[in-house]
Amino acid sequence: MSVLTANSRIICGEFQRREQSNANSCCCVSVLSSGGYGTCSLGRDWGKREGNVSRRSVKAEAFWQQLSRPDSVEMEPITGVDHFDEILRQAQELSQPILVDWMANWCRKCIYLKPKLEKLAAEYSDKVKFYSVDVNSVPQTLVKRGNISKMPTIQVWKDGEMKEEVIGGHKAWLVVEEVKQMIAKYV
């Protein structure tokens, strides 16, 4: 098996640490660097010797355990008042908070913040469900229900009512930090 990495020293160092912790096993690691990339080649045959080096099988997936977890989770759009009521009812049954991002397609800060919130949604995927509302494509009764005056507005709802909000008119990383703190209070 071969593993291609941008910095082969990191992965080869991991192989060496694992080999040193297990005195009964050996692993053949060859590092080839060219053009800024490197490869680590691992032999597959048990106990077979080539020169002074013994080879064994190694699973690369052990080094990337977070691979099964997505980097980002797309926020589900809320399409109307009835849909919003259904989401609140389901969240109340599960006793789980939801996060609603009130935004508009024309809002630059909303567009810039959305992918950052989707990454955050992946972090909290088992604790909080993330939703988005485009205020221009839903009835204004829904927008009034959320008491939205500025965008983007990020709200946490729990037990059928809005608990806290962050109005994201400042830097995205600050908004994300405020959202994390807000989520921590209700999870």
Side-chain angles (χ1 to χ4, degrees), residues 5-7 17 27 49 68 72 77 100 102 134 157 165 168-169 182 184:
T5 118
N7 186 347
R17 278 192 293 285
C27 175
R49 292 210 169 251
S68 63
S72 66
V100 181
W102 301 84
D134 182 355
W157 291 67
E165 73 180 2
M182 187 171 61

Side-chain angles (χ1 to χ4, degrees), residues 85-96:
D85 289 336
E86 180 63 23
I87 289 168
L88 289 176
R89 188 188 59 72
Q90 288 174 354
Q92 198 166 2
E93 285 176 6
L94 297 170
S95 152
Q96 189 178 39

